[in-house]
């Protein structure tokens, strides 16, 4: 047994989160793609069977009231709230991340002085955020200006209305400085909208603590809500009365069953709702979130950093120098919960890894991405992944 294999066993034996692994449906595959789709929690299938057979099959329309379907968006939002550092009553669940980015951006523009005619968007963002930002700018008569997060402080000015940023870069795993960037945005008189897709459920966010205005995030990555599970929208409490959604719907009406021809928005974060919630995927998400009842985000973050540190150490020990290079920052304060390795033949390498039971993913043109979900990934798996990578690389 190698020294690193032995250390992995020791680290797993000391891991307080290790028992949580049994609460997921896993096999012998090393699954390091939870930053794209989280593993299935074991309690979800039975919950969905109950939703389908009893709530839908027997109670039918009565389930909107008797099974709590109607209040699911805000109830599940309150479950997510502590995981991103928010008090209850500020998060609503529903729609996709893209739709929620659109709501947040347009609503933010509507809150600021009309003379502020520029939207800043993260130039390194996931493409859809950029597409949505460009559309929002056209619809609101603003100019869109792409800048990197590092360039934001210098780019801010009297023209800045809103800034849309990613908390963690989806390619490199770089963690951006949400507290200082939010403070700089506020100092300029603008509003901050944060995309938390690669941080919610992986590390502390501190939305309330740092005064974030609006935030969105998906739930199928580190929150393990399932493919296409609904996203969430955070609206800071003191902004809720000014939140003017570009997608008003009957579900966000103050009297949804009044069927009024004029729109009167509901109070609070409910303004973020639009149409009929996607109940099946929403209740699967609610079941998945039960895993977090006794889990500290701080403990998850500590394990995430330990896992990624150990993986990088194993890669360095097992692979030929220079064969792969990490594009993920070494500094803990700049690292999310993934490791991205640059490799000239990354596409072929990832195919071979998957064939050998190590699942990560490939990002054009040359990046191998490995996501570490601390709730179920072990140190032994991190060591095995690095060892198989070295074998594939020759």
């Amino acid at each position: 047994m190698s020294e690193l294999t032995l250390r992995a066993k020791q680290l797993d034996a000391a891991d307080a989160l290790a028992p949580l692994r049994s609460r997921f449906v896993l096999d012998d595959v090393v699954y390091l793609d939870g930053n794209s789709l989280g593993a299935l929690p074991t309690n979800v299938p039975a919950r969905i069977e109950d939703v389908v057979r009893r709530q839908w099959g027997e109670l039918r329309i009565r389930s909107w009231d008797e099974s709590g379907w109607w209040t699911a968006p805000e109830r599940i939002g309150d479950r997510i709230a502590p995981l991103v550092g928010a008090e209850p009553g500020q998060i609503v669940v529903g729609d996709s991340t893209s739709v929620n980015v659109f709501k947040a951006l347009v609503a933010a523009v509507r809150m600021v002085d009309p003379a502020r005619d520029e939207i800043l968007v993260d130039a390194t963002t996931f493409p859809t955020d950029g597409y949505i930002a460009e559309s929002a700018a056209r619809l609101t008569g603003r100019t869109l200006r792409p800048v990197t997060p590092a360039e934001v402080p210098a780019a801010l000015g009297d023209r800045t209305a809103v800034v849309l940023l990613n908390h963690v870069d989806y390619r490199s795993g770089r963690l951006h400085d949400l507290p200082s960037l939010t403070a700089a945005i506020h100092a300029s008189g603008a509003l901050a909208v944060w995309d938390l897709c690669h941080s919610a459920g992986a590390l502390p966010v501190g939305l309330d603590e740092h005064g974030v205005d609006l935030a969105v995030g998906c739930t199928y990555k580190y929150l393990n809500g399932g493919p296409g599970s609904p996203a969430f929208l955070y609206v800071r409490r003191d902004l809720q009365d000014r939140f003017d959604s570009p997608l008003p719907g009957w579900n966000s009406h103050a009297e949804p069953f009044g069927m009024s021809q004029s729109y009167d928005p509901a109070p609070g974060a409910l303004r973020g709702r639009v149409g009929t919630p996607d109940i099946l995927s929403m209740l699967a998400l609610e079941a998945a979130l039960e895993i977090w009842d006794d889990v500290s985000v701080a403990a998850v973050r500590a394990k995430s950093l330990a896992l990624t540190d150990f993986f990088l150490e194993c890669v360095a020990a097992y692979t030929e120098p220079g064969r792969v290079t990490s594009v993920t920052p070494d500094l803990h304060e700049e690292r999310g919960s993934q490791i991205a390795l640059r490799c000239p033949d990354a596409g072929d390498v990832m195919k071979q890894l998957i064939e050998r039971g190590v699942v990560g993913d490939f990002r054009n043109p040359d990046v191998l991405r490995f996501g570490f979900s601390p709730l179920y990934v072990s140190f032994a798996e991190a060591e095995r992944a690095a060892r198989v990578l070295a074998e594939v690389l020759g």
Side-chain angles (χ1 to χ4, degrees), residues 155-167:
L156 293 166
D158 293 341
R159 293 183 56 196
T160 311
V162 186
V163 183
L164 171 63
L165 292 169
N166 285 268
H167 197 191

Side-chain angles (χ1 to χ4, degrees), residues 152-379:
V152 166
L156 293 166
D158 293 341
R159 293 183 56 196
T160 311
V162 186
V163 183
L164 171 63
L165 292 169
N166 285 268
H167 197 191
V168 175
D169 185 290
Y170 79 101
R171 277 178 299 243
S172 69
R174 176 179 290 276
L175 172 65
H176 298 302
D177 192 342
L178 181 148
S180 68
L181 286 169
T182 301
I185 292 165
H186 287 168
S188 77
L191 296 180
V193 179
W194 284 91
D195 183 330
L196 310 178
C197 285
H198 286 268
S199 57
L203 52 91
V205 178
L207 292 177
D208 287 353
E209 177 185 359
H210 303 302
V212 168
D213 302 299
L214 299 127
V216 301
C218 66
T219 60
Y220 46 78
K221 294 182 172 66
Y222 297 108
L223 296 179
N224 310 295
S229 58
F232 64 88
L233 170 67
Y234 165 89
V235 183
R236 201 178 69 217
R237 196 177 307 280
D238 63 308
L239 296 179
Q240 290 174 0
D241 289 344
R242 298 166 55 202
F243 184 84
D244 182 6
S245 176
L247 296 173
W250 76 287
N251 259 238
S252 61
H253 197 284
E255 296 184 15
F257 294 97
M259 301 304 163
S260 170
Q261 294 303 307
S262 60
Y263 182 69
D264 181 18
L270 292 180
R271 293 184 177 205
R273 293 178 64 157
V274 184
T276 304
D278 39 357
I279 291 298
L280 297 183
S281 58
M282 191 168 290
L283 297 186
L285 167 63
E286 184 172 36
L289 290 170
E290 292 175 2
I291 286 175
W292 290 90
D293 285 350
D294 301 312
V295 177
S296 157
V297 177
V300 168
R301 175 61 169 165
K303 182 178 176 182
S304 164
L305 292 172
L307 275 170
T308 49
D309 277 345
F310 184 63
F311 178 69
L312 285 171
E313 181 182 352
C314 292
V315 169
Y318 292 153
T319 63
E320 180 183 347
R323 182 66 173 87
V324 295
T325 56
S326 175
V327 295
T328 304
D330 288 332
L331 294 175
H332 285 181
E333 60 267 29
E334 296 179 0
R335 186 195 305 168
S337 197
Q338 73 180 51
I339 295 297
L341 301 177
R342 180 159 286 133
C343 174
D345 47 350
D348 183 59
V349 168
M350 184 53 68
K351 287 179 183 178
Q352 292 186 57
L353 283 171
I354 293 171
E355 289 171 357
R356 298 183 185 211
V358 175
V359 177
D361 64 20
F362 161 64
R363 286 292 178 266
N364 278 315
D366 58 358
V367 171
L368 300 168
R369 262 190 354 166
F370 301 96
F372 290 82
S373 297
L375 297 184
Y376 54 80
V377 173
S378 68
F379 289 91

